[in-house]
Amino acid sequence: MHSSTARHVRRMPAIGAAVALAAGLLVTLAPAAHAAAGATLPFTSVEAESASTDGTRIGPDHTQGTLASEASGRQAVRLAAGQRVEFTVPRTADALNLAYSVPDGQSGALNVYVNGTRLAKTLPVTAKYSYVDTGWITGSKTHHFFDNTRLLLGRTVQAGDKVAVEAAGVQVTVDVADFEQAAPAAAQPAGSVSVVAKGADPGGNADSTQAFRDAIAAAQGGTVWIPPGDYRITSSLNGVQNVTLQGAGHWYSVVHTSRFIDQSGSAGNVHIKDFAVIGEVTERVDSSPDNFVNGSLGPNSSVSGMWLQHLKVGLWLTGNNDNLVVEGNRILDTTADGLNLNGNARGVRVRDNFLRNQGDDALAMWSLYAPDTDSSFEHNTISQPNLANGIAVYGGTDIAVRDNLVADTNALGSGIAISNQKFLDPFSPLAGTITVDGNTLVRAGAMNPNWNHPMGALRVDSYDSAVNATVNITNTTITDSPYSAFEFVSGGGHGYPVRNVAVTGATVRNTGTVVVQAEAQGAAVFKNVTATQVGAAGVYNCPFPANSGSFTLTDGGGNSGWSGTWSDCSTWPRPGQGNPEPDPNRNLAKGRPATATGSQDVYAPGKAVDGDPNSYWESANNAFPQSWTVDLGASYGVRRLVLKLPPSAAWGARTQTVAVLGSTDGTTYSTVLGAQGYRFDPATGNTVTVSLPGGTSLRHLRLTVSANTGWPAGQFGEVEAYSS
């Protein structure tokens, strides 16, 4: 999902499933206490960069708009004509699927060799379905560089055999190969109605649309059989209910259409399984229903064993889809979402699916018009969504995201996003309990050019409204995130809070910048979160907008490896940068969250840290003592304060009696300097410098005003804190 509205650019610059990358194989290793993340797949993938080649390895690269950045593992192999990649077969197989890219506007083939012998068949390659432009999506660039091509080998290969692909007459970048033992073609079920018997052409020459419609009408309460063959449908099916549509297996029964089912409602009991639907969608046109399913299948329906490719969206689901089960499917090369529960989903289970190369969120729930309720994404494997998130939950009640494996998100997205971004109204924000459990995120997170800063591997986002649901994030593994692991943000730039979050049992390895990227007001409890190889600092805690309120991280115990806080909210940490020493000339208080015991009218606490001495905080009148407090974001050795009032001569000279206190935890304060009178005089700029004792270390700075000879309130135009 995407909105054309960009976030305001800043003015300032567990124990889950482990992941092993060995010999080019992506393997999930489950601890005994928790199931492995991801789908149970009938194939094994081998990365091209781990294979033998005379081509050129490209990457790794995380830069939006580059070829390597969209590749699995952020690496691939470029072949000139005549060059090859030779894979060592990891398992018994008789089928091959290959992810590849060719230059824009070109097509050609890959020759295939088995143990040195060239096959008569080739793998076709084309740029036809690639290089998608979505100029109406702010921050997008040309994307969707890769495609997939597949082949039944016509023979069985064993583990250790060699399968090579060779570029024939065109440059080809090879990403990853999937080796599979295809199940034999299934036989026609007894009593089923064959589409061929109704006139469908398995050779793909004649239009089979009417034959499919007639078979569906004849098979009410029964099964429509799609025999092995290639069928061409030129317009969508509707009125589909109380019927099973079944093929001989997706390697054998193939329907060529960009619009399979398009209907707003159904009585349900629709079961679609075991064939392929391959479209001809080459661009993303959001007004066109170029989807495998557009609308409703009705209650108690299912989709399983399908191969869906070259569509805009796999399943765009609206209306009544109660208790729908979507499982064991492969969804590849869509120009937008893989699946979107577009409001009103109740009891939907999306599980054990494989998705690769989506042009928007791979799996999404969007609670438009009515909330998605009691629905889940479970045990799915998602690779290379090249615009947006791996999994996104936009609103909804009692939603679960469990045991998924998400790898290689690219632009404008996270591995998992839990968000109140509404896009349109009426929208139902997050409510009840949102369960995010047992997920593994690999190389997830991306730079967002609209925000001018990165998005974390797992993001909780109060984009258009506060997050008030209970969000439980448990048993998470985050590996090789190019930026941060966990992000809490109000992505619409409104400063709405993120509340009621608990992160329990997480393992973070080799995160590029920080473990926690906190940019919203709110709070989260962290327990048993361990991190190793942290690139810059443990925590980035800088609110946006400035003064919108602080984010409180509560240590629930068992945390390790991420205690430090990024010291400079005027800069973004770069991957692997390390935490710099604070600039002694930098005002540590500027833009930080400020609070007070009271304020008069519009003269709020944040006015004293906005960088403008002409704006000011004023306490409640005639109510001394009054205190003003700023959270510096981390503990610093503060040596000097500069207190300012507006420099205008209209402000008469005055003396304020001020005590300076400090705290490292925001709860227990100690006196740094006792109450003293400080003279503010516009003749000398209405500025006072306060020297603090050596050894003063504090995160929370509090100024308590007990008297003011010029006005019956505490007043500060600017409070500046320096480390020298």
Side-chain angles (χ1 to χ4, degrees):
M1 293 295 307
H2 280 290
S3 168
S4 60
T5 302
R7 174 183 174 180
H8 301 291
V9 177
R10 286 180 180 262
R11 291 189 296 272
M12 59 184 181
I15 307 299
V19 175
L21 295 176
L25 307 182
L26 181 60
V27 183
T28 55
L29 307 174
H34 206 277
T40 300
L41 300 175
F43 60 87
T44 302
S45 299
V46 183
E47 299 287 343
E49 63 269 19
S50 71
S52 175
T53 184
D54 57 354
T56 302
R57 290 178 173 85
I58 64 170
D61 192 348
H62 295 86
T63 307
Q64 181 185 3
T66 63
L67 186 60
S69 73
E70 287 194 14
S72 173
R74 314 298 176 117
Q75 300 179 76
V77 173
R78 179 178 291 123
L79 303 178
Q83 292 182 322
R84 65 173 61 185
V85 176
E86 184 176 74
F87 297 94
T88 299
V89 177
R91 54 170 292 166
T92 300
D94 61 3
L96 170 67
N97 179 71
L98 195 80
Y100 72 92
S101 177
V102 297
D104 195 7
Q106 297 188 25
S107 297
L110 286 164
N111 297 322
V112 182
Y113 296 80
V114 175
N115 294 325
T117 301
R118 179 175 166 179
L119 303 186
K121 299 178 181 179
T122 61
L123 281 166
V125 294
T126 180
K128 178 179 180 180
Y129 308 103
S130 304
Y131 302 93
V132 173
D133 289 301
T134 50
W136 67 92
I137 298 176
T138 305
S140 70
K141 298 180 179 180
T142 301
H143 59 281
H144 208 64
F145 300 128
F146 286 90
D147 193 38
N148 285 263
T149 183
R150 65 179 190 164
L151 175 70
L152 287 169
L153 296 173
R155 66 191 67 193
T156 299
V157 294
Q158 303 297 330
D161 284 346
K162 305 293 184 181
V163 171
V165 294
E166 176 187 70
V170 66
Q171 176 184 289
V172 184
T173 300
V174 179
D175 182 17
V176 61
D178 306 327
F179 291 92
E180 176 179 356
Q181 182 69 34
Q188 180 174 356
S192 61
V193 177
S194 171
V195 294
V196 173
K198 294 296 182 179
D201 177 11
N205 297 309
D207 183 353
S208 296
T209 306
Q210 191 59 47
F212 271 71
R213 289 173 176 163
D214 292 345
I216 290 169
Q220 287 300 294
T223 299
V224 171
W225 170 243
I226 306 171
D230 285 88
Y231 303 88
R232 184 168 59 90
I233 291 179
T234 58
S235 60
S236 56
L237 307 176
N238 51 42
V240 181
Q241 57 190 7
N242 297 314
V243 70
T244 296
L245 306 180
Q246 181 177 346
H250 66 71
W251 286 101
Y252 312 105
S253 301
V254 180
V255 177
H256 296 274
T257 182
S258 298
R259 303 177 182 182
F260 188 65
I261 291 177
D262 185 1
Q263 56 189 26
S264 60
S266 169
N269 293 305
V270 175
H271 304 284
I272 307 174
K273 61 182 181 178
D274 302 336
F275 59 99
V277 172
I278 299 177
E280 285 294 319
V281 176
T282 60
E283 297 291 342
R284 174 174 173 174
V285 180
D286 284 353
S287 60
S288 297
D290 297 328
N291 312 325
F292 162 61
V293 174
N294 189 72
S296 170
L297 293 177
N300 305 311
S301 296
S302 65
V303 178
S304 60
M306 298 294 293
W307 178 291
L308 308 176
Q309 188 178 13
H310 296 156
L311 302 158
K312 183 183 72 175
V313 176
L315 294 92
W316 186 268
L317 298 168
T318 61
N320 187 345
N321 290 285
D322 291 0
N323 305 315
L324 172 70
V325 176
V326 180
E327 63 181 342
N329 304 287
R330 272 176 260 189
I331 306 177
L332 309 172
D333 307 326
T334 58
T335 60
D337 301 40
L339 174 147
N340 192 308
L341 301 177
N342 190 203
N344 206 44
R346 294 184 292 265
V348 175
R349 301 290 176 258
V350 179
R351 61 196 182 207
D352 221 34
N353 302 284
F354 177 78
L355 299 97
R356 176 187 286 159
N357 192 33
Q358 269 61 56
D360 209 308
D361 299 321
L363 296 176
M365 299 188 200
W366 179 22
S367 289
L368 181 66
Y369 302 114
D372 295 322
T373 304
D374 186 30
S375 296
S376 65
F377 295 147
E378 303 179 34
H379 282 288
N380 300 285
T381 294
I382 295 167
S383 182
Q384 302 150 267
N386 42 74
L387 196 67
N389 307 283
I391 293 174
V393 176
Y394 303 109
T397 301
D398 296 331
I399 303 300
V401 179
R402 292 192 180 95
D403 300 314
N404 301 282
L405 172 60
V406 181
D408 296 307
T409 60
N410 190 267
L412 299 172
S414 300
I416 295 174
I418 307 300
S419 176
N420 270 344
Q421 186 172 6
K422 63 183 181 179
F423 301 99
L424 295 171
D425 284 313
F427 173 76
S428 298
L430 298 163
T433 299
I434 310 301
T435 300
V436 185
D437 176 59
N439 299 286
T440 293
L441 309 177
V442 183
R443 296 177 298 273
M447 180 59 68
N448 187 325
N450 300 330
W451 296 359
N452 197 32
H453 77 273
M455 306 174 86
L458 197 159
R459 185 174 90 254
V460 183
D461 192 346
S462 54
Y463 196 102
D464 285 311
S465 60
V467 173
N468 293 317
T470 298
V471 181
N472 292 326
I473 303 170
T474 53
N475 302 307
T476 308
T477 299
I478 298 177
T479 301
D480 296 335
S481 169
Y483 300 104
S484 63
F486 299 99
E487 180 186 13
F488 305 94
V489 66
S490 185
H494 305 298
Y496 296 122
V498 174
R499 304 187 180 101
N500 307 321
V501 178
V503 180
T504 305
T507 299
V508 178
R509 302 186 187 93
N510 194 33
T511 188
T513 57
V514 297
V515 174
V516 175
Q517 180 178 331
E519 303 168 89
Q521 60 174 307
V525 178
F526 292 83
K527 182 178 181 181
N528 296 329
V529 177
T530 62
T532 55
Q533 298 175 276
V534 176
V539 178
Y540 174 97
N541 194 350
C542 302
F544 181 80
N547 305 312
S548 58
S550 60
F551 191 85
T552 302
L553 287 77
T554 299
D555 185 349
N559 302 304
S560 65
W562 56 286
S563 58
T565 298
W566 181 252
S567 61
D568 185 359
C569 284
S570 68
T571 64
W572 283 103
R574 296 187 303 273
Q577 177 180 357
N579 201 352
E581 290 296 321
D583 180 353
N585 297 313
R586 179 170 68 87
N587 175 10
L588 302 172
K590 183 178 179 181
R592 297 300 307 166
T595 57
T597 52
S599 297
Q600 185 71 19
D601 198 22
V602 297
Y603 307 110
K607 300 289 188 180
V609 287
D610 63 0
D612 180 7
N614 292 292
S615 64
Y616 60 96
W617 165 71
E618 182 174 303
S619 75
N621 288 190
N622 300 299
F624 290 121
Q626 291 284 310
S627 293
W628 177 94
T629 305
V630 62
D631 178 0
L632 303 182
S635 292
Y636 295 101
V638 180
R639 299 293 177 265
R640 176 170 55 99
L641 303 179
V642 178
L643 311 181
K644 298 179 179 180
L645 288 176
S648 169
W651 281 70
R654 67 201 63 203
T655 297
Q656 296 193 77
T657 303
V658 181
V660 180
L661 299 90
S663 172
T664 57
D665 61 7
T667 301
T668 303
Y669 284 81
S670 58
T671 299
V672 177
L673 285 177
Q676 300 181 41
Y678 296 96
R679 179 73 172 173
F680 294 83
D681 191 337
T684 56
N686 253 353
T687 297
V688 169
T689 297
V690 180
S691 297
L692 303 185
T696 300
S697 181
L698 54 85
R699 170 174 173 168
H700 302 268
L701 169 67
R702 175 169 292 172
L703 303 180
T704 298
V705 184
S706 54
N708 183 345
T709 61
W711 195 259
Q715 297 171 314
F716 296 119
E718 201 68 20
V719 177
E720 300 174 355
Y722 297 93
S723 59
S724 66

